[in-house]
Amino acid sequence: MTDCIFCKIIAGDIPSVKVYEDDDVLAFLDISQATPGHTLLVPKTHVADLFAYDTALAETVFARLPKIARAIKASDPRILGLNVLNNNGEVAYQSVFHSHIHLIPRYSEDDDFSIHFGDHTADYTPAQLEAIAEGIRAKVGD
Ligand code: 5GP
Ligand code: ZN
C-alpha cells in the first residue's frame, strides 16, 4: 500500500532496525521504545488490523511470536517478562493502520509501561455474562 509507513519499512524505502525477517513477516524495533527491546512484528502483506486476518495469515504471523519473544528475553538477563499487545482501531490506541503486534519486554513493575484492567468482577450477573457470550458465540465464523 503506497501510503503506509510500515509497507515502506518492509520495502526498505524507510529505514528500520530489524530484529527478524523471513518471507512473510518483519520484526523491527519500535521507534519509541516503551522499554528497551520494544519490538513490532508485522505481516509483509498489508492488512489494516486483526479483523482483516484470514486463518492462514494468523497462523503465519502469530506462530512467529514465541521465537521472537524468546529471543528478546534471551537478549538481556534483566528482562523478567514480556507483554504482547495488539491494538485494533483508533479507540483501542491503534495509530498505524498496518497490523502490528507489540512485544514489550518488562524489566520491573515500575518500568515505563502499564496496563490497567480495573476490577469489574462484581459488575455482571451470571445471566448478563451469558447474554454477552451468546452474542459473541452467534457471530463466530471460521
Ligand atoms: P499503535 O499505536 O498503532 O499500536 O503502534 C504504532 C507504533 O508504531 C507506535 O508505538 C510507534 O512508536 C511506532 N512507529 C510509528 N512510526 C514508526 C516508524 O516510522 N518506525 C518505527 N520503527 N516505528 C514507528
Ligand atoms: Zn502497509
Side-chain angles (χ1 to χ4, degrees):
M1 199 190 201
T2 49
D3 218 20
C4 170
I5 193 153
F6 286 177
C7 281
K8 288 178 183 163
I9 284 176
I10 291 159
D13 296 338
I14 292 178
S16 67
V17 182
K18 296 179 184 178
V19 304
Y20 174 80
E21 182 170 21
D22 62 29
D23 288 346
D24 302 311
V25 304
L26 174 66
F28 55 98
L29 294 184
D30 194 303
I31 201 166
S32 173
Q33 294 276 282
T35 66
H38 178 182
T39 295
L40 301 174
L41 172 64
V42 301
K44 286 192 170 177
T45 180
H46 180 93
V47 288
D49 53 35
L50 186 63
F51 305 120
Y53 279 58
D54 61 23
T55 301
L57 184 63
E59 284 172 357
T60 298
V61 175
F62 287 93
R64 304 303 194 275
L65 275 172
K67 73 174 172 184
I68 298 170
R70 280 192 293 269
I72 293 169
K73 186 162 188 297
S75 72
D76 188 331
R78 294 173 304 154
I79 294 173
L80 305 176
L82 180 140
N83 288 103
V84 171
L85 183 67
N86 169 234
N87 299 331
N88 297 282
E90 238 176 279
V91 70
Y93 311 125
Q94 185 176 9
S95 62
V96 175
F97 290 87
H98 179 130
S99 176
H100 51 280
I101 302 164
H102 295 261
L103 294 97
I104 304 170
R106 302 302 303 277
Y107 296 77
S108 80
E109 288 178 10
D110 303 321
D111 56 25
D112 194 25
F113 179 77
S114 63
I115 300 175
H116 176 70
F117 286 111
D119 181 0
H120 300 281
T121 47
D123 291 0
Y124 297 91
T125 65
Q128 287 172 320
L129 293 175
E130 187 54 40
I132 292 169
E134 181 49 33
I136 299 169
R137 283 196 295 264
K139 297 294 184 186
V140 175
D142 51 19

